[in-house]
């Protein structure tokens, strides 16, 4: 095996992998080249911008190179007899021969130089002969001329001679310098080593800057050099040596283009260079290594050439199309036609006029006819004849023509149907094209000549190559397609849609996401099951290699590709990922496709594709690399949006966002309507008309304009619809949309039949063709056609011809000929024949170009038709808008967030790598920031749902707290619960919780439905003592104790245990717990898990969330409130209002105790938590009360109304919250104090007692400040009913009294006619309750009697007695307001007295018999002051006189009762005396007023009777002294006032005088005589006399008559 073959085998893999530089270095090492070989220099120097300096004399260096080449030539047998002059630098021939044959003319030759074209096209005959001599030199010259040295040797001698006087090599004529070396390169007589030495020399001249930008006639020299190396010939010898020459040619060509004279090359030279390089790449006979090297050189040269395109744009002025205008005349002057093995590699149709611009690159196996290797075999450039400098041809530097030609040739190499092109050649061309696009993609798109190649041929070839199963070809095709779209997508709108649609269809799996244990399927519901492309009909099968289908008909596109190999799928994913890494790519898809009616939703489909393939199961039909690739692309998409959040964009240069939104909405309706139409045309039209898409459904033109204009209607359904008999008007309107003027029948028919699918029934076809014939001849009969009947028959014949010519069922030999076609149409053109040429044109058109019926083919013809249609629609589709802006990010993310978040959630649950967690957490954070910034509430809510589900804390089922154990250690307490332990063991749950609250903090106002999950998390944490208190300031302001939780099952104090407790102690503890039927103590691991949970919850900073909630706008708080109230149980039954009496019984029977029935509801702390949090939120300010208060009030009302089925703690706190709300929102219409009070008063007594303190606390808040609420509550009978029910509750009585005191004596007083009686009744009850003080008083009396000599201890204060005393005082204070109440009441005097004075006197009189002396004394004092009140009595009315009959007399009568006396035997005697004294005093006080009262006598006699009873009570008290004394005072006053005088002094007082005397004489016989001593004797005599007279009468009457 040769070294060259070994090298090819060893390094082919390196070159195939694209490691070009490594392959070159290895090749150089294998070729055994010297370290300073110019090939090595060229491999490095030409890639550097800096120039290598030379240390030797340049002239000496050139001379050395001349000697080196000639020395090698002399060693060859052909030049072995060369003359000495070739060594000495002279010439063996004449001067003329030298000048004619050995070197080109120089400026020193003057004007004597022979003219001629440097291409040799018009040189004289003798010059052409000498040129042939240079090419085919022998020992004998032509025409018998004998020369000693061949021109090749002489040229070197002449060059050395010319260099003798050269001082600066940079001033030496460049063509002359290169001439001898170029002769060697062009000569077919030289061997490979000789040619190689010449190439080495030239390479050195460029590498050492001997030929520079300033060298004379550099442009001409570059053209000559280009012609020489592209037409290089040498004798074939060793294949390795031959390939070294070719390799040097490649590097020299590369150096020429990249060197200082590269931009002086003309279009023809560049084309020749690139043609030579391509030919080497395509030569299969060459070694793999050389072809790879040629490919590397082509890549480098293409980089330089296409880089120049950008500079040419600047030079042309930068205006679009300026360069095209400048170079339009030169576009067709250059052609490239690289060949392989004598065959052209470019498409035959690309050759102009059937001629090739150059011959093929050929290397015969036997060395050719003369055993030489020829690079090309065409007209040679005559290197012996060039013009002088002044007359040199002005060569234009290469420009757009050569660039376009290069691009065309490269694109033609991709033709999939050309069998001359191997896949290797296509891969090579793709690599070079990829470089061109990388360097100058945007510039290519800006030039119409290049852009058209990219839009048409390049895309057409690429989109077919991506269906290849050859992985190398597929990878390169995908890469080029990606680069093309990345750089030129603005001009490839429809092409990009087709490409991406195919990839999506190939890659999107059609299987359900497999359910994984522990992952809720709801987390990934947003992942699309299929792209939005509609599935094809079941009868249509396809594969990954089939040609694309019509662009308009997306139903067919994409469902192929399901059988693509895993590696192919990975390559496709990488291609999409590369595009997705362009920051604006998906935005552009959204704006240009998703927002356009007739385009596919590519953005949604791409995101859905990436999302679905990011799931781990996609590796089962692709590779393991696909899921992470898709996840990375998806995360990049989110990252790009997040990075643009703060970007400020100019809205003027982009489409209007509102218009795009309208288009998207319209698009959705059209898609839905089209789907309905394809199922039922009538239903679809009705749907579209109802939504305004079809403006006038009754107008056929309006209907058909839409149906024809949209690409989403099935062509088959459309054809059937318009051809129905009932739709003739629709068919006519449809044909009105076509303009057939000036078109041949087949052309018109082709245009018609391409717009819908022709039905299969003959009747339907006949109807369509009939209308078509009429429309075709409507305006004027076309030339060549007689009438519409002739058109009708001809169209039928054309359809039959189309089927015959192109049906695969018809054999080629059986297809219809022209003669047969014409014969079938004889005599049908108005009874005549159609013109033969007319029918011939129709026949030829149909035969060569099938009329493609939509939905009929899925082959190359269909693809060609679809591609043609795509190109036609390109102009109407417009250019793709590049969107480097964030204007559309909100709408785009709003349309695509579901699959993104679903993927993140699934990966979060299934991942195990920290790097993946980090990326996913960052993705969640970015999604949340995007959703918050753009107000995408649904997206933010779904993020919360996903994270809360992963956290495991948002469970609907309440946690089990029955085994909760409180562990105490020093001053810390930890509640070990099932939830805390489970959560502490779950790292993913902790991370999700931390991320969740991190996202929520600061974004609370964006959350809507997500609050439901957060609230459930709060509740579950709260029930397990893991949640910090919310709104501590608000709770303090609310003035209520923390919500009580269920007691733990056990409390363990770890601090008291020994620190050395070991396994035995733990085991003993376990056994003791088991024996006691208690839950076992938590283990150390469970305690650690709980502590992890506590740390995690503390790190979440939930208190910051609570703090932010209090600053949220009210509308945003509505969502939180709704979520809170949704946790409440539903109301079980309708509310029934029970009316209770205004006041309870005066002395309600107090139960011995309340026991919760077995069927009563259990306590739910979560319920209370919800109500309290809702109340605090609603009470934030007046705005929140107005917006949120109604819902909270209704929830609290429901709780109160269902008090019988609720736990008392919940009921009591609900009442408290409701009253607090009432306090701050009583002006709102949704809350009414009477309703609340009535609901509370309807409680059962047991419930009311257990709720007493919160209820009373709420009442105090409501009545604490003056205002209408205080008045409204205090006037409510239910309010006083509640107080009456609670005043006997021991814990509540003090609060009730404080509330009562505030209402009665507070400022302002809340006493009114409505509550007056209730107030006094409640005060009376408090005073009555103070009777318990009598027990203590009597004990003190007994103690005092036993210790007569000792001092008695003052009794300690009793709160009940103190309240009783104060109640009596308050009753008295109410007397001051009675006149005002009477005046306000507008009652008559008697009713007013009964309503306002009577309750006070009754209450005070009642307390005057209170067993407690302190209260009784206070009551007597208050009663006396009340009875003596100046506002009580008046001469205008007498109702006040009832104070005797209704107050004083009953009081004394009650005091006379034994049971009353026995209640306080010691103190009650004094009370009787006080009562008697009070009666007399009151009588005397009002004596004047009473004297005018007609009931004066009866009152006085009643008083005397009462006094009589007091004197004769027999109790042994002090009444015997007090009563006479009081009566004595009365009698004296009455006597002095003239009210009690003898009858002789005032006859009208006779009765009162007599009755008084009689009554007193009964129980105080001496009192009258004591008061009236003078009148006593007279009175006694009168009485005696009167008695005598009466006795005498009696005796007389008893004597018998006569």
């Amino acid at each position: 095996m040769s070294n060259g073959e070994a090298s090819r085998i060893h390094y082919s893999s390196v070159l195939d992998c694209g490691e070009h530089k490594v392959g070159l270095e290895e090749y150089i090492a294998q070729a055994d080249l010297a370290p300073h070989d110019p090939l090595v220099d060229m491999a490095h120097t030409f890639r550097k911008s800096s120039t290598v300096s030379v240390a030797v004399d340049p002239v000496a260096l050139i001379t050395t190179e001349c000697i080196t080449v000639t020395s090698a030539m002399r060693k060859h047998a052909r030049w072995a007899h060369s003359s000495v002059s070739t060594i000495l630098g002279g010439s063996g021939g004449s001067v003329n021969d030298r000048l004619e044959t050995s070197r080109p003319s120089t400026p020193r030759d003057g004007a004597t130089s022979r003219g001629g074209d440097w291409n040799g096209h018009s040189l004289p005959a003798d010059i052409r002969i000498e040129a042939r001599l240079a090419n085919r030199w022998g020992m004998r010259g032509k025409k018998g001329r004998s020369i000693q040295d061949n021109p090749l040797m002489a040229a070197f001698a002449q060059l050395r001679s010319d260099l003798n006087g050269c001082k600066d090599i940079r001033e030496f004529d460049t063509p002359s310098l290169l001439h001898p070396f170029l002769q060697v390169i062009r000569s077919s007589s030289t061997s490979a080593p000789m040619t190689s030495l010449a190439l080495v020399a030239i390479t050195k001249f460029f590498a050492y800057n001997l030929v520079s930008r300033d060298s004379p006639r550099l442009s001409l020299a570059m053209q000559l050099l280009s012609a020489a190396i592209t037409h290089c010939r040498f004798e074939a010898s060793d294949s390795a040596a031959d390939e070294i020459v070719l390799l040097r040619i490649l590097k020299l060509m590369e150096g020429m283009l990249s060197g200082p004279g590269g931009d002086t090359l003309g279009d023809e030279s560049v084309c020749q260079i690139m043609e030579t390089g391509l030919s080497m790449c395509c030569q299969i006979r060459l070694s793999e290594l050389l072809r790879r090297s040629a490919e590397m050189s082509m890549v480098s040269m293409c980089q330089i050439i296409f880089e120049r395109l950008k500079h040419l744009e600047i030079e042309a002025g930068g205006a679009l199309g300026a360069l095209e205008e400048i170079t339009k005349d030169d576009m067709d002057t250059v052609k490239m036609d690289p060949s392989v093995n004598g065959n052209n590699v470019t498409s035959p149709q690309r050759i102009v006029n059937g001629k090739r611009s150059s011959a093929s690159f050929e290397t015969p196996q036997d060395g050719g006819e003369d055993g030489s290797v020829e690079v090309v075999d065409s007209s040679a450039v005559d290197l012996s004849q060039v013009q002088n400098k002044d007359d040199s041809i002005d060569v234009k530097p290469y420009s757009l023509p050569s660039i376009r030609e290069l691009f065309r040739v490269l694109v033609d190499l991709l033709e999939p149907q050309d069998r001359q092109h191997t896949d290797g050649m296509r891969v090579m061309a793709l690599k070079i094209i990829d470089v061109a696009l990388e360097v100058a993609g945007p510039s290519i798109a800006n030039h119409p000549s290049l852009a058209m190649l990219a839009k048409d041929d390049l895309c057409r070839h690429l989109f077919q190559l991506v269906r290849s199963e050859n992985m190398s070809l597929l990878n390169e095709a995908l890469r080029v397609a990606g680069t093309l779209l990345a750089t030129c997508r603005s001009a490839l709108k429809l092409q990009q849609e087709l490409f991406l649609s195919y990839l999506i269809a190939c890659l999107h799996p059609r299987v359900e996401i497999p359910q994984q244990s522990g992952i809720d399927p709801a987390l990934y519901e947003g992942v699309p099951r299929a792209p939005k492309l509609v599935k094809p009909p079941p009868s249509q099968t396809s594969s990954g290699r089939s040609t694309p289908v019509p662009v308009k008909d997306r139903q067919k596109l994409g469902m192929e590709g399901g059988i693509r190999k895993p590696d192919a799928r990975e390559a496709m994913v990488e291609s999409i990922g590369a595009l997705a890494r362009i920051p604006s790519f998906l935005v552009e898809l959204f704006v240009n496709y998703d927002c356009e009616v007739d385009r596919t939703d590519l953005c949604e489909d791409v995101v859905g594709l990436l999302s679905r393939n990011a799931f781990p199961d996609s590796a089962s039909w692709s590779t393991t690399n696909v899921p992470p690739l898709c996840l990375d692309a998806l995360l990049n998409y989110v990252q790009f949006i997040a990075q643009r959040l703060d970007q400020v964009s100019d809205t003027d240069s982009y489409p209007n966002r509102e218009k795009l939104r309208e288009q998207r909405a319209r698009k959705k309706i059209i898609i839905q309507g089209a789907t309905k139409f394809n199922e039922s045309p009538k239903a679809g039209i009705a749907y579209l008309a109802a939504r305004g898409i079809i403006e006038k459904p009754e107008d056929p033109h309006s209907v058909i304009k839409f149906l024809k204009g949209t690409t989403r209607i099935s062509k088959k359904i459309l054809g059937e619809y318009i051809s129905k008999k009932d739709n003739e008007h629709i068919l006519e309107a449809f044909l009105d949309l076509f303009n057939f003027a000036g078109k041949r029948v087949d052309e018109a028919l082709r245009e018609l039949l391409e717009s819908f699918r022709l039905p299969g029934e003959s009747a339907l076809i006949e109807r369509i063709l009939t209308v078509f014939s009429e429309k075709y001849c409507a305006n004027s009969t076309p030339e060549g056609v007689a009438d519409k009947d002739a058109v009708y028959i001809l169209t039928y014949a054309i359809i039959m011809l189309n089927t015959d010519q192109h049906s695969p069922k018809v054999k080629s030999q059986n297809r219809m000929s022209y003669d047969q076609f014409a014969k079938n149409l004889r005599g049908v053109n108005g009874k005549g024949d159609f013109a033969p040429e007319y029918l011939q044109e129709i026949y030829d058109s149909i035969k060569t170009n099938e009329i493609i019926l939509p939905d009929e083919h899925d082959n190359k013809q269909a693809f060609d038709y679809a591609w043609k249609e795509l190109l036609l629609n390109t102009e109407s589709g417009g250019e793709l808008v590049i969107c480097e802006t964030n204007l559309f990010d909100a709408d785009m993310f709003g349309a695509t967030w579901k699959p993104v978040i679903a993927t993140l959630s699934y990966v979060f649950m299934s991942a195990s790598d920290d790097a993946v967690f980090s990326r996913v957490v960052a993705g969640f954070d970015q999604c949340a920031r995007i959703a918050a910034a753009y107000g995408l509430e649904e997206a933010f809510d779904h993020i919360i749902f996903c994270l809360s589900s992963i956290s495991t804390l948002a469970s609907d089922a309440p946690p089990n707290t029955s085994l909760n154990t409180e562990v105490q250690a020093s001053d810390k307490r930890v509640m070990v619960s099932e939830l805390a332990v489970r959560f502490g063991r779950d790292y993913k749950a902790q991370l999700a919780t931390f991320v969740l609250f991190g996202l929520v903090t600061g974004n609370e106002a964006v959350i809507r439905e997500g609050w439901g999950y957060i609230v459930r998390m709060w509740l579950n944490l709260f029930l397990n003592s893991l949640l910090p208190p919310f709104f501590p300031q608000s709770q303090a302001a609310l003035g209520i104790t923390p919500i009580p939780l269920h007691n733990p099952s056990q409390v363990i104090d770890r601090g008291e245990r020994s620190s050395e407790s070991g396994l035995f102690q733990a085991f003993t503890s376990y056994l003791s717990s088991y024996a006691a039927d208690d839950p076992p103590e938590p283990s150390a691991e469970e305690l650690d898990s709980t502590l992890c949970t506590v740390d995690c919850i503390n790190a979440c900073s939930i208190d910051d969330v609570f703090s932010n909630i209090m600053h949220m706008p009210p509308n945003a708080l509505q969502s939180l409130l709704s979520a809170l109230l949704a946790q409440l149980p539903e109301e079980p039954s309708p509310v029934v209002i029970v009316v209770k009496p205004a006041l309870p019984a005066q002395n309600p029977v107090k139960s011995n105790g309340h026991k919760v029935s077995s069927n009563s509801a259990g306590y739910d702390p979560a319920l209370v938590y919800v109500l309290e949090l809702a109340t605090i939120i609603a009470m934030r300010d007046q705005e929140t009360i107005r917006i949120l208060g109604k819902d909270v009030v209704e929830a609290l009302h429901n709780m109160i109304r269902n008090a019988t089925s609720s736990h008392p703690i919940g009921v009591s706190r609900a009442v408290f919250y409701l009253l607090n709300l009432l306090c701050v929102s009583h002006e709102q219409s949704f809350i009414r104090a009477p309703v609340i009070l009535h609901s509370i008063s309807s409680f059962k007594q047991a419930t009311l007692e257990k709720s007493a303190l919160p209820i009373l606390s709420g009442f105090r808040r409501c009545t604490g400040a003056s205002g209408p609420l205080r008045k409204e509550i205090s006037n409510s009978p239910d309010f006083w009913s509640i107080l009456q029910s609670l005043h006997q509750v021991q814990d509540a009585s003090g609060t009730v009294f404080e509330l009562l005191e505030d209402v009665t004596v507070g400022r302002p007083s809340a006493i009114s006619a409505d509550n007056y009686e209730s107030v006094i009744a409640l005060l009376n009850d408090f005073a009555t309750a103070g009777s318990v003080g009598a027990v203590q008083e009597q004990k003190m009396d007994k103690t005092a009697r036993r210790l007569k000599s000792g001092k008695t201890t003052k009794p300690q204060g009793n709160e009940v007695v103190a309240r009783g005393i104060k109640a009596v005082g308050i009753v008295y204070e109410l007397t001051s307001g009675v006149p005002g109440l009477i005046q306000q009441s507008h009652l008559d005097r008697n009713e007013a007295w009964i309503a306002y004075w009577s309750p006070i006197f009754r209450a005070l009189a009642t307390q005057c018999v209170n067993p407690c002396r302190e209260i009784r004394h206070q009551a007597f004092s208050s009663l006396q002051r009340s009875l003596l009140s100046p506002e009580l009595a008046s001469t205008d009315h007498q109702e006040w006189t009832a104070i005797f009959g209704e107050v004083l007399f009953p009081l004394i009568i009650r005091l006379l009762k034994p049971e009353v006396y026995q209640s306080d035997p010691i103190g009650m005697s004094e009370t009787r005396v006080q009562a008697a004294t009070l009666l007399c005093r009151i009588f005397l006080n009002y004596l004047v007023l009473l004297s005018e009262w007609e009931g004066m006598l009866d009152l006085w006699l009643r008083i005397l009777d009462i006094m009589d009873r007091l004197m004769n009570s027999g109790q042994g008290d002090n009444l015997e002294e007090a009563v006479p004394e009081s009566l004595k005072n009365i009698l004296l006053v009455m006597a002095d006032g003239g009210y009690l005088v003898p009858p002789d002094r005032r006859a009208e007082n006779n009765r009162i005088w007599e009755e008084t005397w009689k009554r007193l004489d009964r129980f105080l016989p001496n009192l009258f005589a004591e008061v009236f001593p003078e009148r006593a004797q007279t009175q006694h005599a009168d009485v005696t006399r009167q008695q005598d007279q009466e006795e005498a009468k009696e005796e007389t009457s008893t004597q018998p008559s006569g």
Side-chain angles (χ1 to χ4, degrees), residues 1037-1039 1215-1224 1237 1240 1251-1267 1269-1271 1273-1274 1279 1282-1283 1286 1291-1303 1306 1310 1363:
L1038 206 58
V1215 172
F1216 177 76
Y1217 304 147
L1218 186 58
L1219 290 173
N1220 274 271
L1221 267 173
L1222 175 65
C1223 182
V1224 297
L1237 295 173
I1240 299 173
S1251 309
L1253 292 179
I1255 291 174
L1256 295 174
S1257 179
F1259 282 166
R1260 292 190 66 179
R1261 283 179 175 270
C1262 293
T1263 60
S1266 60
L1269 179 60
R1270 174 185 170 94
K1271 182 177 180 181
I1273 291 178
S1274 60
F1279 172 71
I1282 296 168
L1283 296 185
L1286 296 179
D1291 295 336
S1293 58
T1295 306
V1296 173
F1297 187 79
E1298 292 175 0
L1299 184 61
L1300 175 62
E1301 187 177 13
D1302 178 68
V1303 171
R1363 284 195 294 269

Side-chain angles (χ1 to χ4, degrees), residues 163-190:
L163 288 173
N164 286 336
C166 181
K167 300 297 184 182
D168 187 356
I169 193 63
R170 292 175 179 82
E171 295 179 359
F172 192 81
D173 185 55
T174 308
S176 300
L177 176 63
L178 300 180
H179 171 70
F181 300 97
L182 300 184
Q183 290 282 59
V184 173
I185 295 172
R186 289 291 300 263
S187 176
S188 61
S189 304
T190 56

